[in-house]
Amino acid sequence: MSPAAAASMLLGASMALMLCGSVTFAIGLLLMPWVAGIALLFSFAGAVSTLSSGFFGKPAAVIPPCKGAPPGRICSPIGSDVLVP
């Protein structure tokens, strides 16, 4: 391979990289407002969802006492007859 052929090959490779890089940059520059807008829309929707479900979330489920259990005791969550203090 002659030096001129090597220089021509390197020049072609660098031109291809510059062209592809600039096209990629242009596509990213054009799509950036859309990506930022969608990110803001999703964050706004998440904030509205959080606020609509209550500031601290929903209260924990209250387990009703068993029939015949002494006051202050509830049934075991596994459904057995053992009472939990």
Side-chain angles (χ1 to χ4, degrees), residues 47-81:
V48 168
S49 174
T50 301
L51 290 176
S52 68
S53 68
F55 189 73
F56 293 109
K58 297 179 181 173
V62 178
I63 302 172
C66 294
K67 294 179 182 177
R73 290 182 168 247
I74 59 171
C75 288
S76 173
I78 58 173
S80 67
D81 294 334

Side-chain angles (χ1 to χ4, degrees), residues 18-49:
M18 284 190 290
L19 181 64
C20 290
S22 62
V23 169
T24 304
F25 176 77
I27 291 172
L29 192 65
L30 289 174
L31 291 180
M32 181 61 77
W34 289 95
V35 172
I38 290 173
L40 287 174
L41 179 69
F42 284 159
S43 64
F44 178 72
V48 168
S49 174

